Structure formats: structure tokens, C-alpha cells
């Protein structure tokens, strides 16, 4: 089983990387992009029997800084 953890900065937290991407897109002629939020995806190969609750615990303790980031778990 695999899990993908999508980690994003929470709304209201400044995202300088996202702003740099937005600016670069404009410089390349891609108009109309008003906002970009940068995130990360962490893919985990899990042993049989690993639960979503266990993955959530991994997120809370290491994979996401829950003060400034939110996350979403996708089991595949």
C-alpha cells in the first residue's frame, strides 16, 4: 500500500516560493496567474496493515509543521 501526503502552507502564511513562481510565470508570458501556493508531496510505501491513523501520526510528528502547514492523506 502507498500513501501520498500533500503538505501545503496554511492560508494566511506567506509563501515566498509561491510568489517567486507566480512572478516567473508572468515573466515567461503566462498572464492571468493571480496566486501560487507552493507545497510538497511525500510518497510512502507502507507495510501491510499500516493504518491511516498511523500515517496521520507520522504527519503530526514529522512530515508536516502543523503550526504553519496543513496536510491531506491520500491512500493509493
Amino acid at each position: 500500500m502507498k500513501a501520498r501526503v500533500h503538505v501545503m502552507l496554511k492560508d494566511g502564511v506567506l509563501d515566498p516560493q509561491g510568489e517567486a513562481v507566480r512572478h516567473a510565470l508572468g515573466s515567461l508570458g503566462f498572464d492571468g496567474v493571480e496566486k501560487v501556493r507552493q507545497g510538497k508531496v511525500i510518497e510512502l510505501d507502507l507495510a501491510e496493515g499500516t493504518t491511516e491513523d498511523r500515517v496521520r501520526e507520522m504527519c503530526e510528528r514529522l512530515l508536516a509543521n502543523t503550526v504553519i502547514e496543513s496536510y491531506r492523506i491520500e491512500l493509493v
Side-chain angles (χ1 to χ4, degrees):
M1 178 172 71
K2 287 186 184 246
R4 286 191 191 107
V5 179
H6 302 264
V7 181
M8 296 289 295
L9 289 171
K10 291 181 177 179
D11 287 337
V13 176
L14 294 178
D15 185 354
Q17 287 179 315
E19 186 58 25
V21 171
R22 186 194 65 75
H23 180 73
L25 288 170
S27 295
L28 292 171
F30 296 103
D31 298 328
V33 179
E34 295 179 357
K35 185 176 181 181
V36 174
R37 300 292 285 176
Q38 175 88 11
K40 60 187 171 189
V41 176
I42 303 165
E43 189 168 283
L44 305 168
D45 289 323
L46 302 170
E48 193 65 37
T50 304
T51 65
E52 186 173 345
D53 286 340
R54 189 69 170 156
V55 176
R56 186 169 281 101
E57 184 180 353
M58 294 175 198
C59 292
E60 295 287 330
R61 295 186 60 194
L62 175 68
L63 301 179
N65 178 348
T66 57
V67 173
I68 62 170
E69 296 174 320
S70 60
Y71 63 88
R72 177 176 54 87
I73 299 168
E74 174 187 4
L75 299 177
V76 288

